[in-house]
Amino acid sequence: MRVNKKYSCLPAEEKGIHIINIRAIEDIGYDQHESTLLNSLSKNPDADCKYGLYFRDGKRKVDYILVYHYKKSSAGRTLARRVHHNDSSARSTKQDQPLPGKGVQLEMGESEHHMDYHEDDKRFRREEYEGNLVEAGLELERDEDTKIHGVGFVKIHAPWHVLCREAEFLKLKMPTKKMYQINQTHGLLKKINSVIQKITEPIQPKVAEHKPQTVKRLSYPFSREKQHLFDLSDRDSFFDSKTRSTIVYEILKRTTCTKAKYSMGITSLLANGVYSAAYPLHDGDYEGENVEPNDRKLLCEEWASYGVFYKYQPIDLVRKYFGEKIGLYFAWLGVYTQMLIPASIVGIIVFLYGCATMDENIPSMEMCDQRNNITMCPLCDRTCSYWKMSSACATARASHLFDNPATVFFSVFMALWAATFMEHWKRKQMRLNYRWDLTGFEEEEDHPRAEYEAKVLEKSLRKEHKHKETDKEKLTWKDRFPAYLTNFVGIIFMVGLTFAIVFGVIIYRISTAAALAISSTPSGRSSVRVTVTATAVIINLVVIIILDEVYGCIARWLTQIEVPKTDKNFEERLIFKAFLLKFVNAYTPIFYVAFFKGRFVGRPGDYVYIFHSFRMEECAPGGCLMELCIQLSIIMLGKQLIQNNLFEIGIPKMKKFIRYMKLKRRRSLDHEEHMKKKQRYEMDYNLEPFAGLTPEYMEMIIQFGFVTLFVASFPLAPLFALLNNIIEIRLDAKKFVTELRRPVAVRAKDIGIWYNILRGIGKLAVIINAFVISFTSDFIPRLVYLYMYSENGTMHGFVNHTLSSFNVSDFQAGTAPNDPMDLGYEVQICRYKDYREPPWSENKYDISKDFWAVLAARLAFVIVFQNLVMFMSDFVDWIIPDIPKDISQQIHKEKVLMVEVFMREEQGKLQMLETWKDKDKKKGENCNNHSPRLSRSHSGSLSSCHSYPLDV
């Protein structure tokens, strides 16, 4: 195990202690670290420390908070104290006296015996860990006199020298004194940009960081040796709160606690319950009277409010407050939402085109024409009777809204839109990298996770027990094989469960359709399809939402048992598993309707049965595209509405209400605590902990799939996604600003694995839309009929061409309708949708040559469409450069300017050295010009002529 000796303050012989006697430890003075614990006394302490934002002295800012639980007796309220590690006095003095109230508390412990070993162990681990933090240079202050019973807080402050040291270690780019002019557009482009700025001024947030900049400070990785390069006139604001908390968190991760024979960083201590929480503080309150201006309040007003939904996001301020990783998420979400605007407009135009041409659509007019008198074969055995095709008129007319030539154009457009969106995001990402000084940033290997270290320790102990070498142990594939096997079996089982549920819904649809067909009321029989489709889709929606939550938990558990080494590996594996399970869960019902329903039904007299009793479902006469549209729209809209309103708004508010009721109950027990004003860290402790960006990204990625994968069947999908995202941005913003603890800022230069998933969905969308147009819609059969079989070059006769004939005398025994005279006349020939030979043919009911002609055309269309659209997408990808030209010029300019700065510095040093050499030479000559006698009498001073101090 790696133990950071630099930050360990324990002697070697004390690192093997397991069970610790409290009094013995205190007697030998073990818990007295190099720092001293002093009382923080102040006349008005809460006002001095701005209610928790500063230490008790009101000068040192709180950069991070550690929270722990402790047992306190009923009489111990008066013994609560606020103590701190004072770094300035810690290095020079040692405290031999116990803490105020501490000895009394232990005597009570001896009399009441209320403290157990586990609590003592946690307490001494905390003391050792906090001592190591002080050794690392941090300053601590403890507060147990809080309104929350049994909860203590450790406030952490990073002094200037620690911030400088860690900024150098982390290679943080900081702004230098050097400023340069950003290249501006000239001529016509400048006028166009100024006009655009004036037009968009009302929708710009009123934030200083959002204003266009004409000058920029040159950035350089911080170095203590080159502090003169940086503008350190205001040291308090040189490192902002986000940077300070990031630096402290890095120290917390690498500082160890070696009490129990193994290394423990903050992640391990949190996992083992030594600390219950660790988080940076919010900048202050965001609402209320007399609230001091702060970034959190500004974000709440200009970003996390539904009243500013029409404005751009203040992305730079979001990055300044939450860090680059969260800033990139909201920037990506903003770009995606903007790109949905043209897609929504084109989708509305395609939908309106379908509405305008509905009355001109010849196939639907033929289906609705009562004079055609087309009698269709029964939809189920025995209980269903013959029916008129004109009864499906409404479905046929509605299907034209989405099944028309414009949908083919829209599919091509959306494929190119997806490629353009990805390229636009790459360019936006590069602009942000330049603006946020992330150019050249490379992620370093993260610290091992607590679970990984525990597993390695367990493996090391096993080898120690067997007297084997334990140098540099790590987990191999053999150690992880049981977890890999569990993952494989678990994922296969979950996918199988999803298929089984979809199959169950299919059985429900078939049995419900048969049951409703027996209905004595004509209205019940006429609305069979609508009733069955609507109820089945609602069942699918409920199941999808429930399984989404279940699969999210299962994916996390499967990832945890793999024990990935770093947080980045853990996140990538979790994303892959969660996306795979949720993708299958969300799209399996839609894939069934699009590609399987109505494909394997057989024909009258020779139907395919499930369990020898249920006939497979058939598509409506107008095709399955209308049903696919219904399925897609209900699942997409229902998922967005329920997840947004119930999960993202309702559940957090419910948790908040439960916490409020618990605190209210505690306050009623202690009126004295209730009267005190809450500190900032107490208020933040009551907020929800940040759980990562994976759920936010996952929701948007699944939505991106709905928008692109089956867009040929639902052109309005981009519009509904746009409306959802306008609300989603403000909803997520409000959650981050008001309902979550402030997350630790994480540096990142891209959105990681999500970009690859988006690209994969974009490629898959081309293939799926090609198959939807070709096999689910009637677009290809219409083209084949128009150019191969139409007598007059029109679509007249198309419906009759797609229907085959069946002689009712060929029904299998027991499958003919119970009421053959339901239509009022005897039926001898009924029609069904398929390409088969008629009953009077020699090869009756065999597949006809028309079927093979249509199939060949469908396959040809898939190949041509797929290759053409992918070529166009790749062409768009190639023609649009990933890095904007002006940004590449600015990056090059920064490099040149940085070289000039260092060249000038070197020249200055050389000139200074030359000056010193000249002075040294002249001084030497003056010494040599003295008389020999004087020289002998002052021989001791000769050397001083050549050794005067130089202040470099």
Side-chain angles (χ1 to χ4, degrees):
M1 297 299 297
R2 295 189 308 170
V3 178
N4 196 328
K5 296 180 180 177
K6 183 176 180 180
Y7 299 102
S8 176
C9 65
L10 281 178
E13 62 271 12
E14 290 179 359
K15 295 184 179 179
I17 296 176
H18 285 275
I19 301 175
I20 305 164
N21 181 277
I22 306 168
R23 291 304 298 264
I25 291 298
E26 290 203 337
D27 289 341
I28 63 175
Y30 173 82
D31 63 341
Q32 312 303 329
H33 301 289
E34 291 185 10
S35 64
T36 58
L37 303 177
L38 302 176
N39 284 326
S40 296
L41 302 175
S42 178
K43 293 180 181 178
N44 190 2
D46 290 341
D48 290 345
C49 68
K50 294 188 179 180
Y51 296 100
L53 288 173
Y54 287 82
F55 274 23
R56 303 295 295 171
D57 57 15
K59 297 178 181 178
R60 291 173 292 171
K61 187 176 176 62
V62 176
D63 297 319
Y64 218 86
I65 291 290
L66 299 179
V67 187
Y68 60 92
H69 289 271
Y70 64 94
K71 286 189 176 181
K72 191 192 304 188
S73 64
S74 58
R77 187 77 56 198
T78 58
L79 303 174
R81 74 271 188 205
R82 295 172 186 262
V83 294
H84 71 280
H85 295 267
N86 190 317
D87 194 41
S88 59
S89 60
R91 313 281 164 126
S92 58
T93 64
K94 288 201 173 190
Q95 182 183 356
D96 296 325
Q97 299 297 324
L99 288 174
K102 196 170 184 180
V104 181
Q105 211 166 0
L106 280 172
E107 287 173 11
M108 290 168 49
E110 288 175 349
S111 61
E112 297 181 9
H113 301 287
H114 70 282
M115 300 180 76
D116 58 9
Y117 161 69
H118 293 291
E119 290 299 320
D120 301 338
D121 184 52
K122 287 180 182 179
R123 178 180 161 217
F124 285 106
R125 285 187 192 180
R126 284 197 297 269
E127 290 186 356
E128 184 202 351
Y129 183 70
E130 289 164 20
N132 291 346
L133 291 179
V134 173
E135 286 293 311
L138 298 178
E139 297 175 6
L140 312 182
E141 183 176 83
R142 187 181 294 122
D143 181 5
E144 291 181 359
D145 184 19
T146 65
K147 294 182 74 174
I148 306 174
H149 180 67
V151 175
F153 297 87
V154 177
K155 295 176 276 187
I156 303 176
H157 168 77
W160 173 256
H161 70 277
V162 173
L163 293 172
C164 293
R165 181 190 71 207
E166 298 298 324
E168 187 172 346
F169 291 168
L170 295 173
K171 299 176 183 175
L172 295 180
K173 273 192 171 184
M174 304 302 293
T176 63
K177 296 176 184 176
K178 176 70 175 177
M179 301 183 73
Y180 67 95
Q181 195 80 17
I182 295 176
N183 292 339
Q184 300 293 322
T185 54
H186 300 285
L188 182 62
L189 283 177
K190 186 177 181 180
K191 292 181 180 178
I192 293 173
N193 287 340
S194 62
V195 171
I196 292 173
Q197 284 179 8
K198 288 180 181 178
I199 294 173
T200 59
E201 189 174 354
I203 60 174
Q204 300 290 347
K206 296 175 182 177
V207 175
E209 285 80 359
H210 198 78
K211 293 178 181 177
Q213 296 178 343
T214 55
V215 292
K216 186 177 184 292
R217 285 189 179 274
L218 196 63
S219 295
Y220 185 72
F222 188 82
S223 171
R224 286 172 290 180
E225 294 180 355
K226 300 184 183 299
Q227 286 193 31
H228 57 278
L229 293 177
F230 302 94
D231 184 9
L232 304 179
S233 56
D234 185 5
R235 289 189 173 188
D236 291 337
S237 62
F238 183 73
F239 294 106
D240 57 17
S241 59
K242 164 189 67 80
T243 308
R244 296 174 72 99
S245 62
T246 303
I247 287 172
V248 173
Y249 183 63
E250 286 296 322
I251 298 174
L252 292 175
K253 281 200 296 184
R254 73 160 183 260
T255 303
T256 56
C257 170
T258 57
K259 177 79 67 183
K261 245 186 176 181
Y262 59 94
S263 173
M264 296 181 74
I266 186 61
T267 51
S268 301
L269 293 171
L270 287 169
N272 292 326
V274 178
Y275 291 103
S276 57
Y279 52 88
L281 289 180
H282 279 292
D283 277 358
D285 292 325
Y286 59 90
E287 60 183 358
E289 296 180 0
N290 302 322
V291 176
E292 292 186 7
N294 58 73
D295 287 343
R296 188 187 187 194
K297 186 174 185 293
L298 189 58
L299 281 171
C300 189
E301 293 171 352
E302 294 294 328
W303 183 51
S305 172
Y306 295 111
V308 294
F309 73 92
Y310 59 92
K311 289 188 176 183
Y312 285 102
Q313 298 182 86
I315 292 297
D316 291 320
L317 185 58
V318 174
R319 172 253 178 179
K320 178 186 173 186
Y321 194 79
F322 291 110
E324 285 79 7
K325 192 169 186 178
I326 293 174
L328 281 171
Y329 163 70
F330 281 104
W332 173 83
L333 184 55
V335 169
Y336 172 47
T337 305
Q338 286 178 3
M339 288 294 291
L340 282 172
I341 295 174
S344 302
I345 293 171
V346 176
I348 292 170
I349 293 171
V350 169
F351 179 74
L352 293 176
Y353 171 80
C355 294
T357 58
M358 187 186 296
D359 294 331
E360 301 173 7
N361 183 36
I362 295 174
S364 62
M365 290 169 62
E366 287 185 348
M367 288 180 64
C368 295
D369 193 351
Q370 300 280 353
R371 296 170 297 178
N372 284 339
N373 198 27
I374 299 175
T375 304
M376 303 297 293
C377 295
L379 295 173
C380 61
D381 293 344
R382 294 188 300 277
T383 55
C384 300
S385 186
Y386 305 105
W387 56 286
K388 293 278 190 181
M389 176 173 269
S390 56
S391 64
C393 174
T395 307
R397 287 173 63 84
S399 65
H400 178 71
L401 295 174
F402 309 102
D403 188 3
N404 57 67
T407 57
V408 180
F409 157 76
F410 191 54
S411 299
V412 176
F413 170 82
M414 287 304 293
L416 298 179
W417 172 88
T420 308
F421 163 59
M422 300 305 295
E423 289 305 307
H424 179 45
W425 167 243
K426 277 198 288 188
R427 291 169 64 84
K428 177 71 173 179
Q429 196 169 253
M430 280 306 303
R431 288 189 183 278
L432 293 176
N433 284 344
Y434 164 71
R435 218 157 70 201
W436 296 348
D437 297 321
L438 292 172
T439 52
F441 167 71
E442 294 295 335
E443 292 185 13
E444 297 179 358
E445 187 176 355
D446 204 356
H447 296 272
R449 296 173 63 248
E451 292 82 356
Y452 180 85
E453 288 188 332
K455 280 285 183 183
V456 171
L457 172 70
E458 187 182 327
K459 184 178 179 182
S460 302
L461 292 176
R462 282 201 306 267
K463 289 201 172 184
E464 275 184 14
H465 186 67
K466 296 177 182 178
H467 305 288
K468 293 183 179 180
E469 294 183 1
T470 58
D471 292 338
K472 294 183 181 179
E473 282 296 337
K474 63 180 182 179
L475 298 183
T476 62
W477 70 269
K478 292 180 181 178
D479 300 316
R480 290 194 173 105
F481 180 75
Y484 289 153
L485 184 62
T486 306
N487 270 260
F488 178 76
V489 174
I491 290 173
I492 294 296
F493 175 76
M494 291 300 119
V495 172
L497 176 64
T498 305
F499 289 161
I501 290 171
V502 171
F503 183 72
V505 174
I506 294 170
I507 299 296
Y508 162 79
R509 292 160 68 113
I510 296 170
S511 57
T512 306
L516 288 175
I518 309 173
S519 174
S520 57
T521 59
S523 59
R525 289 196 297 270
S526 63
S527 60
V528 168
R529 285 189 185 276
V530 177
T531 306
V532 170
T533 301
T535 54
V537 171
I538 291 170
I539 292 171
N540 272 328
L541 174 62
V542 173
V543 169
I544 285 171
I545 291 173
I546 293 172
L547 287 183
D548 252 5
E549 301 303 311
V550 174
Y551 285 169
C553 297
I554 290 174
R556 181 168 290 277
W557 176 74
L558 290 174
T559 310
Q560 285 172 346
I561 63 174
E562 279 187 46
V563 197
K565 184 176 181 180
T566 62
D567 285 330
K568 184 180 179 182
N569 291 340
F570 180 88
E571 187 180 24
E572 288 182 349
R573 295 185 185 194
L574 173 62
I575 288 169
F576 174 74
K577 293 181 185 66
F579 174 74
L580 177 63
L581 292 175
K582 292 189 177 188
F583 182 89
V584 172
N585 180 42
Y587 295 112
T588 300
I590 300 171
F591 269 92
Y592 163 72
V593 174
F595 302 121
F596 296 98
K597 186 178 178 182
R599 309 289 171 196
F600 311 103
V601 295
R603 60 170 179 81
D606 188 22
Y607 283 114
V608 176
Y609 291 90
I610 302 174
F611 305 135
H612 304 288
S613 55
F614 295 109
R615 245 173 64 182
M616 288 294 291
E617 288 184 287
E618 296 181 48
C619 288
C624 276
L625 197 68
M626 186 61 202
E627 189 171 341
L628 176 61
C629 173
I630 295 170
Q631 183 105 1
L632 187 66
S633 58
I634 291 179
I635 289 177
M636 179 182 175
L637 296 177
K639 202 167 181 295
Q640 289 180 350
L641 290 174
I642 292 174
Q643 283 190 334
N644 283 352
N645 294 325
L646 180 62
F647 294 158
E648 294 197 21
I649 298 176
I651 290 179
K653 287 192 180 296
M654 192 183 300
K655 287 181 179 178
K656 196 173 181 180
F657 178 74
I658 292 170
R659 286 197 304 272
Y660 170 75
M661 294 304 293
K662 285 181 179 178
L663 289 172
K664 193 175 180 182
R665 197 179 303 120
R666 287 176 183 171
R667 288 171 190 166
S668 62
L669 297 174
D670 195 332
H671 181 70
E672 182 186 348
E673 285 190 352
H674 178 62
M675 296 305 293
K676 293 185 298 185
K677 180 177 171 63
K678 270 192 173 183
Q679 303 289 321
R680 175 78 264 152
Y681 44 84
E682 294 177 81
M683 296 170 71
D684 286 4
Y685 178 68
N686 290 327
L687 299 175
E688 281 289 305
F690 176 62
L693 288 170
T694 300
E696 314 299 335
Y697 272 115
M698 189 67 70
E699 184 185 344
M700 289 297 105
I701 296 295
I702 295 295
Q703 185 204 83
F704 182 77
F706 281 122
V707 169
T708 54
L709 291 178
F710 296 94
V711 74
S713 63
F714 190 40
L716 295 179
L719 174 64
F720 289 116
L722 173 64
L723 297 176
N724 174 79
N725 288 6
I726 291 172
I727 301 170
E728 180 74 19
I729 289 174
R730 307 304 164 180
L731 184 70
D732 284 349
K734 197 172 186 65
K735 182 170 68 175
F736 272 84
V737 173
T738 65
E739 295 177 4
L740 295 180
R741 292 176 193 160
R742 188 174 183 177
V744 180
V746 178
R747 287 190 297 169
K749 62 187 299 184
D750 53 40
I751 59 174
I753 193 174
W754 296 111
Y755 181 81
N756 297 327
I757 292 175
L758 285 168
R759 282 190 68 89
I761 291 176
K763 299 294 184 185
L764 184 63
V766 176
I767 301 170
I768 289 179
N769 279 306
F771 276 94
V772 167
I773 295 168
S774 184
F775 286 89
T776 310
S777 75
D778 281 338
F779 178 73
I780 299 301
R782 286 173 187 163
L783 284 181
V784 171
Y785 176 79
L786 187 65
Y787 293 107
M788 288 182 64
Y789 299 104
S790 177
E791 297 177 357
N792 52 8
T794 64
M795 292 302 295
H796 288 289
F798 170 73
V799 173
N800 188 58
H801 180 261
T802 59
L803 298 176
S804 298
S805 301
F806 177 75
N807 193 328
V808 297
S809 61
D810 293 331
F811 272 121
Q812 289 181 353
T815 60
N818 294 333
D819 186 12
M821 299 293 292
D822 186 55
L823 293 177
Y825 55 89
E826 185 180 358
V827 177
Q828 295 185 351
I829 299 291
C830 66
R831 309 295 295 275
Y832 60 99
K833 191 168 183 179
D834 205 348
Y835 292 101
R836 290 183 180 271
E837 297 291 343
W840 51 83
S841 171
E842 293 182 2
N843 303 315
K844 66 177 184 177
Y845 308 133
D846 283 353
I847 292 173
S848 65
K849 63 177 182 179
D850 297 344
F851 172 84
W852 299 111
V854 171
L855 180 62
R858 281 174 163 164
L859 294 174
F861 176 82
V862 168
I863 295 170
V864 172
F865 182 90
Q866 176 185 329
N867 286 282
L868 178 64
V869 173
M870 284 198 172
F871 169 76
M872 293 169 71
S873 300
D874 291 340
F875 180 74
V876 169
D877 193 353
W878 172 76
I879 203 171
I880 301 176
D882 293 347
I883 305 176
K885 187 177 179 181
D886 58 326
I887 296 298
S888 61
Q889 289 175 350
Q890 299 288 1
I891 293 171
H892 178 70
K893 186 177 181 179
E894 276 197 352
K895 291 179 180 177
V896 172
L897 288 172
M898 206 71 244
V899 170
E900 288 180 3
V901 168
F902 284 121
M903 290 298 292
R904 285 176 186 171
E905 188 180 0
E906 289 298 320
Q907 288 172 3
K909 285 181 181 178
L910 289 173
Q911 289 175 2
M912 194 178 294
L913 286 172
E914 289 293 334
T915 305
W916 289 338
K917 285 180 181 178
D918 291 342
K919 287 181 180 179
D920 192 27
K921 190 175 180 182
K922 289 177 182 178
K923 191 72 175 176
E925 290 176 356
N926 292 335
C927 289
N928 291 332
N929 290 335
H930 288 304
S931 63
R933 182 173 56 82
L934 187 63
S935 296
R936 280 193 299 272
S937 63
H938 295 85
S939 60
S941 64
L942 281 175
S943 60
S944 63
C945 297
H946 302 277
S947 60
Y948 55 86
L950 297 179
D951 185 16
V952 181

